[in-house]
Amino acid sequence: MDSIWALYAVALGLGTAETVYDTAAQSILPRVVRRDQLSRANGRLYAVELSANEFVGPPLSGFLVAAGVIAAFAAPGVLWLVAVVVLWPMRGSFRAGTADPGAGAKPEPEPGRAGDGRRTVRKRRIATVGTEIAEGLRFAWGNRLLRTFAMMTGGFNLASSAVMAIIVLFAVGPGSPMGLSEPAFGVLLATMAGGSVVGSFLVEGMERRFGRVVLIFGSVLTGALMVGTPALTTNPFLIGAAFVLGGVGVVASNVVMVSLRQRITPDRLPGRVNSAYRLVAWGTRPLGALLGGLVAEVWGLRAVFAVAAVVMLSLLTGMTVVRGRAMEDAEREAAEREESNDGPGTPEQVDPASSETHHTQS
């Protein structure tokens, strides 16, 4: 019994570390590459992560477990150490600025020395963790595009988590509707990961050819196809094809949304905005798993896929806000703010579409 609690503690630690890493990686990327290279950089980052998580990690973990418990637990530690060594030589300033309300303003003359021309930079206010979290939430929620992206991502994760919670019951075993063996089920899930990896390499070209709005619109449609196909058929090839298309769409929309968020977020706020955004967008995953279980219990397994598809299609209402002009205006305002170094101001100053008077009800 003691060992299971130790595993829980390790899982909690790894989950916390991964959350910190994901947020930091998204926040640091704009300091590493130019703004016009963010789509390519995000695509490559997704490709490496997906390849390692879905294709390299599982067979490697099986090999390490077979080699022995010590090897299974020591190898991840060694790999983390290698990652630290690789990151160590990176040059640059990656520290976020402080939440100084006077940022961008001229320093005030030092009291008592107004006539000698000497100036001093006013002391920076040390913000509490709660203040910083609130600031990130205000910016993310006050910007209409980011708010819409967060709600669309949250809805997508809600629907996909509901499906993933029950898909094994639908697919595996002789008594299941699909009747797949365990290895065949692993291959089925790998099709989604494979589509994501392929999409991560194609997204830059697709963005140039079709535009960002089309990619986001297409990701919703392919997402509905991915979660809804099992409601119509048990054919593993058709479901696998839908999973491939869904994987491509997921990565395409992720790259577009993340890259835009990186471009329009003030330099001192990326960590806070990313963490606040991900709290809203990813917090629906456990709710989705709960929803999938409840729907399956009341109406059956196929109903879960149908409900998830309806939820996914409802995200198309967000396209009334996600317009090419709105994204271009947000990027232009961010570039002008960066050039003038006037600070982020209010979310309405960052994005004209963020004003509630221009809000279109979904």
Side-chain angles (χ1 to χ4, degrees), residues 164-190:
M164 290 298 106
I166 58 91
I167 186 68
V168 65
L169 300 176
F170 183 80
V172 180
S176 66
M178 291 186 68
L180 297 179
S181 64
E182 293 179 5
F185 178 65
V187 172
L188 179 66
L189 294 183

Side-chain angles (χ1 to χ4, degrees), residues 68-156:
V69 175
I70 295 179
F73 284 95
V78 172
L79 291 174
W80 280 111
L81 181 61
V82 170
V84 171
V85 172
V86 171
L87 286 172
W88 196 265
M90 288 184 64
R91 294 290 181 263
S93 176
F94 305 112
R95 186 184 296 276
T98 57
D100 182 5
K106 293 182 178 179
E108 298 291 338
E110 186 177 350
R113 299 185 181 180
D116 61 7
R118 296 178 62 184
R119 304 244 177 187
T120 181
V121 178
R122 68 177 58 172
K123 295 181 180 179
R124 293 180 175 180
R125 177 175 60 87
I126 300 177
T128 63
V129 173
T131 301
E132 293 182 346
I133 293 174
E135 187 176 19
L137 282 170
R138 279 197 303 272
F139 182 86
W141 195 252
N143 185 292
R144 195 179 178 196
L145 271 175
L146 295 185
R147 183 171 69 241
T148 303
F149 283 166
M151 295 174 67
M152 291 179 70
T153 304
F156 194 104

Side-chain angles (χ1 to χ4, degrees), residues 17-31:
E18 185 175 8
T19 301
V20 172
Y21 159 78
D22 286 338
T23 302
Q26 288 187 359
S27 302
I28 202 175
L29 201 59
R31 303 288 185 95

Side-chain angles (χ1 to χ4, degrees), residues 8 24 31 52 76 84 97 117 128 153 162 189 206 227 259 262 281 321:
Y8 288 157
R31 303 288 185 95
V84 171
T128 63
T153 304
L189 294 183
M206 291 192 298
V227 300
S259 299
Q262 291 167 334
V321 174

Side-chain angles (χ1 to χ4, degrees), residues 32 45 194 202 222-223 273:
V32 178
L45 188 61
L202 297 179
T222 56
V273 171

